[in-house]
Amino acid sequence: MVSSESLVRKTEKTFRLLKSVEADKPLGAQIVGCNPDVMGEAASMVEDLGFDLIDINIGCPVPKITGPGGGSALLREPKTAAEVIRKVVKSVKNIPVTVKMRKGYADPSGDEAVNIAKIAEDVGASAVTVHGRTREQGYSGIADWEAIGKVKRAIKIPVFGNGDVNNGEDAQRLIDISGCDGVMIGRGALGNPWIYKSIENTLNKKANPAYSPSTEEQREAALKHLKLEIEYEGEKIGVLKCRRMICWYFKEQAGIAKFRAKINKATTFNEVEDLILNFG
Ligand SMILES: Cc1cc2nc3c(=O)[nH]c(=O)nc-3n(C[C@H](O)[C@H](O)[C@H](O)COP(=O)(O)O)c2cc1C
């Protein structure tokens, strides 16, 4: 997610967030904001940078974003949301525009998402994603998959369901309950890049469905993550940024609390590498 305002001001930090490598393709960028002209200009810039899809954020709960009227604040401003989506759709030449929204701002019924989804369809969006929580819920409580079904039944463009999908069984239940066309994974992917394969296996009823990595694989992936982060950010910042992410790889395992306490004191590559190699 990048701020449309920061992007059109061409701030270096924003361009850094949009950096990618060829292996990332196909790749979408998400933009946030509430000024239709600025959002349109940002969308055009994102397309020129080579992205394959633009997603409009109508879900972010953070006050810095909602205060000026962006993110989930747009759920309660359908007229502005319509102008924003319309302008973004008009501003891109060849790539699809999608919208990601929460089910509502405070209203738990899902009606706000239905309304925004209909608008998105009317003004030319290619698909929508619905996170089954309200802005008020933040990331707590259980995601409401019925509300995703309400949106699915109200529009013809594809609907992606999102919220609380942590394995293949969750994904199948979300699809069964809501009828959604696709599933978006959130926190379940943190420290678990294997989740996609595992879910795909379950949905396709392949053998060995619930793939779970060995501790050795987790160590290897965490170490690779650390090395790439340091290559990108340098050792000092790379280690600081990586502490939290490295812990995600081992979040389900006994000993994680001790590991976290130690990693939070580590400042060098060698220290973190040592902790990773000796975990478990
Ligand atoms: C650390 C973090 C960062 C997130 N960043 C974004 C974001 O930039 N754009 C967005 O649309 N959603 C963002 N989300 C929300 C997730 O995409 C997802 O909607 C939410 O976590 C619910 O799914 P889950 O229950 O599977 O985690 C973020 C969530 C987390 C935990």
Side-chain angles (χ1 to χ4, degrees), residues 1 30 57 100 131 133 139 162-165 185-187:
M1 182 184 86
Q30 188 185 57
N57 183 312
K100 174 153 181 276
H131 172 194
R133 287 188 178 85
Y139 294 96
N162 168 244
D164 289 344
V165 177
I185 313 300
R187 288 164 293 182

Side-chain angles (χ1 to χ4, degrees), residues 129-208:
T129 302
V130 182
H131 172 194
R133 287 188 178 85
T134 60
R135 188 255 175 179
E136 284 203 339
Q137 282 178 290
Y139 294 96
S140 61
I142 296 166
D144 172 5
W145 295 344
E146 302 280 354
I148 298 168
K150 262 190 175 179
V151 175
K152 170 63 193 164
R153 291 189 294 278
I155 59 175
K156 292 195 181 67
I157 56 174
V159 174
F160 292 80
N162 168 244
D164 289 344
V165 177
N166 293 307
N167 54 51
E169 285 74 31
D170 294 340
Q172 188 61 63
R173 273 191 299 117
L174 167 58
I175 292 166
D176 291 345
I177 289 171
S178 70
C180 65
D181 304 281
V183 174
M184 187 182 277
I185 313 300
R187 288 164 293 182
L190 302 178
N192 185 10
W194 302 274
I195 192 172
Y196 304 100
K197 192 81 215 157
S198 172
I199 290 179
E200 203 182 301
N201 281 355
T202 305
L203 295 181
N204 295 334
K205 304 204 166 38
K206 288 207 181 130
N208 235 349

